[in-house]
Amino acid sequence: MAAGRCQRVVCGALLFIFFGFPALVGCDDDIDQQIFQPGIQSTLKVAAAKPRRYLLYDVNPGEGFNLRRDVYMRVANLVKKLQDQGSWVLVLPPWGRLYHWKSSMDKQQTKIPWTAFFDLESLNRHVPVIEFEDYIKETGSAEIDEMWYLQSYKDGFFSTGKWEEKVDERECNDRPVYHLDENGRYRGWFWGYDEAYVLKFKCVSAQANAGLMVKPLTENTTARSVMINRAEVLLHDMYGQADYWAARRSMRFSKELRFVGNEFRRKHLNSTDKDDKTIMWEDWRTFKPAVGTAKGGPYLAVHLRRGDFARSHSKNVPSLPGAAKQIRQIKKEQKLKKVFLATDATDQEVKELQKSVKGLVRFKPTKEELNRYKDGGVAIIDQWICTHARYFIGTALSTFSFRIHEERAILGFEPKTTYNRLCADNQTTEECEQPSQWAVVY
């Protein structure tokens, strides 16, 4: 009897708190009957759901895969702040037409969804994200209400040397690459979707962190969908701090690409997560390994940039003989027999390295694997294998190497086994400055 009276009191209190009318006697079926009797429903105070709004973005076509990943983090944390103002979702820009994707199947590399490279479930644990295809399905078309084309200020930091955060609608500095069609719609490059268009276009000068866009997006427009183009103009709000690392940790590679990398490690490098102490938890939000807990597989991983990068950064990148000499030395110091090489070098250059460095292997995709994983997926497999090495050495100023630094930090590797770079042939130890070390912040 006492328990029954207690339940009625609790139920009555909850009814008063949530619905704003005096407690009704009874619980369970009694409550159902009393709440849903004629006339009661009209007294319930239910807040109206806020309409779902969409933030799209794109990046300068010349930017590479790994810088685009960094821009995603800036925009994702902008969406995180927008969540306080309403129901915003980030629409992911399809991949394709990147400068470094130079394989023979380049023409097929458009309209690539993020699921080809990343785990969307993991991304959604940070902020709500959807593919562009899903945006089309949800809204019923590839129509975008507004495009804000970002640009620098003519009288901004680079001309005055003075940094002041600001965002303003301005005349376009250059002739826009988007044009009006006969129906008054703005057309241009939308990741290969010819049916996509924008209803309203404007140039916006920005000298700001991404978070400064919250106010204009919530106060200066009522558009349901807004696309920020040239999003690389925006900076990180708090570089290297908790939100930065939350966005970064959420960017887990797709399970299929991780599986391919793990199989290569197992077959060719005697490396497994169990032996290497690199087992990840399913949810990145609860995965917080202490520094030094990751051991890594029994191999040295090297990222060596060649081609245009080596030519334009000759003061920081070694020649092939110079790289081979350093690899042999580090391999000996670390007492490792195997070397995994991630590189954009030609097949002939790789053969030359293999003659100079014993035990050197690389991931060479078959035609079928290249068609399935594409250039971006192959690059991720390379990064994943480098991430799990006992010791890693990269290329100075390369965002590819930088992303590997971050992956290794997230797994719990010692900084001294991670933040290393190859030196140019004539650089002294003092001149060959090693990469900056960044600790993961939770």
Side-chain angles (χ1 to χ4, degrees):
M1 293 293 290
R5 287 194 298 271
C6 181
Q7 289 176 345
R8 290 186 178 90
V9 170
V10 171
C11 290
L14 291 174
L15 285 165
F16 183 78
I17 292 170
F18 290 109
F19 301 128
F21 52 75
L24 304 172
V25 293
C27 284
D28 303 324
D29 294 340
D30 290 341
I31 290 177
D32 292 339
Q33 293 171 8
Q34 295 177 67
I35 290 179
F36 295 103
Q37 62 181 292
I40 289 293
Q41 294 95 320
S42 62
T43 67
L44 301 183
K45 299 176 182 178
V46 181
K50 293 182 179 179
R52 188 169 166 97
R53 300 179 71 182
Y54 303 90
L55 184 67
L56 301 89
Y57 78 98
D58 202 3
V59 180
N60 178 8
E63 302 297 351
F65 185 69
N66 289 289
L67 184 133
R68 289 170 181 267
R69 290 168 60 187
D70 189 79
V71 175
Y72 163 81
M73 294 160 59
R74 306 175 207 177
V75 181
N77 280 330
L78 167 58
V79 170
K80 184 179 180 183
K81 290 188 175 183
L82 285 169
Q83 293 297 306
D84 295 333
Q85 308 294 326
S87 179
W88 286 83
V89 61
L90 177 58
V91 182
L92 302 169
W95 297 94
R97 285 178 58 168
L98 298 188
Y99 174 74
H100 293 104
W101 292 359
K102 296 181 178 179
S103 67
S104 59
M105 45 86 69
D106 177 66
K107 292 182 180 179
Q108 304 174 37
Q109 302 198 67
T110 57
K111 298 184 179 181
I112 303 173
W114 278 60
T115 49
F117 304 139
F118 297 97
D119 184 339
L120 250 65
E121 183 179 352
S122 182
L123 294 178
N124 269 288
R125 290 185 176 122
H126 184 55
V127 294
V129 302
I130 59 172
E131 302 276 17
F132 186 64
E133 290 276 3
D134 295 321
Y135 168 80
I136 295 174
K137 292 176 183 177
E138 284 192 18
T139 62
S141 74
E143 178 182 280
I144 303 167
D145 294 332
E146 295 184 7
M147 176 183 287
W148 296 9
Y149 195 90
L150 300 189
Q151 59 186 11
S152 59
Y153 283 88
K154 288 185 177 180
D155 57 348
F157 174 76
F158 293 105
S159 61
T160 66
K162 180 181 178 182
W163 178 262
E164 177 187 358
E165 281 205 310
K166 52 185 178 179
V167 176
D168 296 291
E169 183 177 346
R170 293 284 180 93
E171 290 185 2
C172 298
N173 293 345
D174 302 302
R175 184 178 179 180
V177 295
Y178 293 84
H179 60 277
L180 277 172
D181 66 10
E182 63 276 9
N183 297 314
R185 297 168 174 174
Y186 287 90
R187 300 281 183 174
W189 173 250
F190 292 96
W191 315 291
Y193 290 84
D194 294 335
E195 68 272 30
Y197 60 88
V198 166
L199 295 177
K200 182 180 179 182
F201 176 95
K202 63 181 179 181
C203 286
V204 175
S205 291
Q207 183 173 283
N209 297 327
L212 202 67
M213 299 297 290
V214 170
K215 186 174 182 179
L217 284 169
T218 56
E219 297 182 8
N220 297 356
T221 179
T222 58
R224 188 184 182 197
S225 56
V226 179
M227 178 174 172
I228 296 178
N229 210 330
R230 298 298 190 268
E232 73 278 0
V233 170
L234 301 174
L235 305 178
H236 286 285
D237 287 309
M238 296 291 288
Y239 186 85
Q241 299 305 307
D243 280 348
Y244 172 93
W245 280 107
R248 181 63 183 83
R249 289 158 60 215
S250 75
M251 296 188 75
R252 286 190 172 178
F253 299 133
S254 76
K255 292 179 181 179
E256 182 176 9
L257 294 179
R258 283 184 275 156
F259 175 81
V260 174
N262 290 341
E263 282 296 288
F264 185 92
R265 289 165 51 209
R266 183 181 64 83
K267 293 178 180 178
H268 302 282
L269 298 167
N270 192 29
S271 170
T272 66
D273 284 336
K274 182 178 179 180
D275 292 340
D276 303 349
K277 297 182 179 179
T278 53
I279 296 175
M280 295 193 310
W281 297 0
E282 182 65 25
D283 189 339
W284 59 265
R285 293 171 297 184
T286 56
F287 181 65
K288 303 176 182 181
V291 175
T293 54
K295 177 183 177 184
Y299 61 96
L300 166 66
V302 179
H303 172 230
L304 175 63
R305 281 298 309 271
R306 301 299 298 158
D308 62 324
F309 189 94
R311 290 188 292 271
S312 61
H313 296 87
S314 58
K315 293 182 179 180
N316 285 291
V317 179
S319 64
L320 282 180
K325 180 180 179 181
Q326 293 177 68
I327 293 169
R328 289 195 302 267
Q329 181 180 347
I330 297 169
K331 178 184 170 188
K332 182 179 180 181
E333 290 173 354
Q334 298 299 319
K335 299 178 181 179
L336 298 169
K337 295 182 179 180
K338 293 276 185 131
V339 178
F340 175 77
L341 177 68
T343 186
D344 58 350
T346 65
D347 289 342
Q348 182 58 40
E349 288 176 320
V350 173
K351 288 179 181 178
E352 290 180 30
L353 279 173
Q354 288 175 324
K355 290 178 182 178
S356 302
V357 180
K358 292 182 180 180
L360 188 147
V361 298
R362 65 185 297 209
F363 177 76
K364 185 74 173 176
T366 64
K367 184 178 180 180
E368 291 74 20
E369 287 174 327
L370 185 57
N371 283 330
R372 182 175 181 83
Y373 306 130
K374 304 184 172 36
D375 286 326
V378 172
I380 285 173
I381 292 168
D382 272 348
Q383 287 182 317
W384 189 246
I385 298 170
C386 286
T387 294
H388 290 77
R390 187 74 50 82
Y391 192 96
F392 171 71
I393 185 165
T395 296
L397 308 177
S398 167
T399 54
F400 188 100
S401 288
F402 184 78
R403 296 291 162 232
I404 295 171
H405 296 160
E406 291 180 329
E407 294 288 347
R408 289 176 63 86
I410 290 168
L411 281 178
F413 278 95
E414 284 279 3
K416 66 181 180 182
T417 70
T418 296
Y419 296 93
N420 308 290
R421 55 158 285 202
L422 294 164
C423 302
D425 292 357
N426 298 320
Q427 278 186 319
T428 64
T429 303
E430 291 75 21
E431 293 172 334
C432 185
E433 185 178 355
Q434 296 303 302
S436 299
Q437 299 183 11
W438 294 90
V440 180
V441 178
Y442 300 109

